Amino acid sequence: MNSAVIVFPGSNCDRDIASALTKLQFKNKMVWHKDTELPKSDLIVIPGGFSYGDYLRSGAIAAKSNILKEVIKSAKSGSIVLGICNGFQILIETGLLSGALLRNKNLKFISKDVNLKVVNNNNKFCSKYKKDNIISLNIAHNEGNYFTNKDHLKELEDNELIPFKYCNSKGVISNESNPNGSLNNIAGILNREKNILGMMPHPERMIDDLVSNTDGIDLFSSILN
Amino acid sequence: MKFSVIITLKKDVLDPQGKVVQQTLQNMGMDSLRNLRQGKYFEIEINELDEDKAKNIIEQMCEKLLVNLIIEDYKIKKL
């Protein structure tokens, strides 16, 4: 499977995701934000970092870059698109995913491992996880507090468009297990067609027992599947 | 022609930064402070002499980039 990782000035998780993809048998290409063509790819990844220094709003400037026009076209024609952390913020700013990512409720940059419940696995990104699996992934962000209007929230819940929610080690989803104030403990969302996933946690950091755990692998093997 | 744009969070959107500033001011003894919301301010100069046209351009700038309409409101004023 071919993959493409988009690189902006200020991206800092691009190498991590590239090495994760290569390790998991993707043929990966890096694509610079000024490029106007995407290489043929089955998966497009928008990585984490601080694209354009997070100026204006996180992801707002990157969403208007040359290459994003191509990503939007490709996403609308059904390509699989994964946005992690700043990548999620960028997908929101393009309008490919709805809602907004506000500043963390406690106003702190949060960098730690968190527990997540796979609340919906009926999609291309999570089929290898079992429903209600509890996994541990790393988060590292300042604006991950997901917000949307009531109608959209209902649409997300009713149509199984929320794959991951923050929970505690026993799987309880509550205010106490919510690190950033995110609505309904949402850690990631899909678009209605389920070909685009945006998530704050970093699965690419969880693919090797030597440095962390391997809970992120199933996300990539689900896509390969 | 010069305009100002003020961007504020919508009423029902939580403003944690504003809350902290408010609490700090209240801790400093500003007892009459009832509510504080934090926003953004832009000054924009454009090459257009017709005021309506100019306003229209500023509006486009707001809707296409400067403002996140899901969580923010904006006000344009001629300077």
Side-chain angles (χ1 to χ4, degrees), chain A residues 54-219:
Chain A
D54 271 354
Y55 292 173
L56 192 62
R57 291 179 307 275
S58 313
I61 309 287
K64 308 291 177 196
S65 62
N66 282 344
I67 197 64
L68 253 290
K69 287 187 193 120
E70 297 307 307
V71 174
I72 291 168
K73 256 191 237 163
S74 186
K76 284 189 173 160
S77 67
S79 298
I80 303 178
V81 180
L82 170 64
I84 302 166
C85 199
N86 189 223
F88 184 14
Q89 294 163 341
I90 294 168
L91 286 175
I92 291 259
E93 284 289 343
T94 60
L96 286 173
L97 293 174
S98 305
L101 286 157
L102 307 177
R103 191 124 184 237
N104 294 341
K105 200 175 173 185
N106 65 0
L107 294 175
K108 287 185 179 133
F109 186 98
I110 307 168
S111 176
K112 63 175 185 183
D113 293 352
V114 294
N115 293 302
L116 299 166
K117 195 178 220 177
V118 183
V119 285
N120 287 300
N121 65 346
N122 183 19
N123 59 68
K124 290 183 182 113
F125 301 90
C126 299
S127 57
K128 290 272 177 182
Y129 292 111
K130 288 199 182 92
K131 192 171 155 52
D132 294 333
N133 251 181
I134 300 162
I135 61 171
S136 171
L137 297 184
N138 182 256
I139 55 167
H141 60 248
N142 200 33
E143 284 92 12
N145 176 356
Y146 183 75
F147 177 86
T148 192
N149 61 41
K150 272 185 195 153
D151 292 343
H152 182 234
L153 182 63
K154 190 172 180 311
E155 185 192 321
L156 289 175
E157 294 279 6
D158 291 353
N159 295 296
E160 304 188 332
L161 301 179
I162 306 167
F164 305 110
K165 285 189 177 183
Y166 301 109
C167 67
N168 68 13
S169 56
K170 289 182 180 136
V172 179
I173 297 164
S174 65
N175 279 340
E176 287 72 41
S177 60
N178 187 339
N180 54 22
S182 193
L183 207 61
N184 287 19
N185 286 42
I186 289 172
I189 61 163
L190 297 153
N191 63 331
R192 192 180 269 237
E193 291 74 25
K194 295 189 180 180
N195 64 313
I196 306 171
L197 168 66
M199 60 192 290
M200 291 316 295
H202 289 270
E204 80 280 16
R205 294 184 185 179
M206 289 359 212
I207 57 146
D208 195 328
D209 270 328
L210 260 182
V211 287
S212 50
N213 64 41
T214 51
D215 288 356
I217 291 181
D218 282 347
L219 188 132

Side-chain angles (χ1 to χ4, degrees), chain B residues 4-52:
Chain B
S4 73
V5 176
I6 294 175
I7 301 174
T8 49
L9 281 172
K10 284 188 195 260
K11 265 188 194 156
D12 50 351
V13 177
L14 198 73
D15 174 19
Q17 286 188 83
K19 269 273 162 316
V20 169
V21 175
Q22 177 176 339
Q23 267 166 19
T24 307
L25 286 170
Q26 282 164 336
N27 291 344
M28 289 162 69
M30 315 283 186
D31 295 331
S32 55
L33 171 53
R34 207 164 92 190
N35 192 28
L36 182 150
R37 305 274 287 170
Q38 188 172 322
K40 285 181 193 146
Y41 177 78
F42 293 87
E43 278 182 6
I44 308 173
E45 274 182 79
I46 55 170
N47 295 323
E48 174 60 63
L49 298 173
D50 184 292
E51 192 178 331
D52 285 343

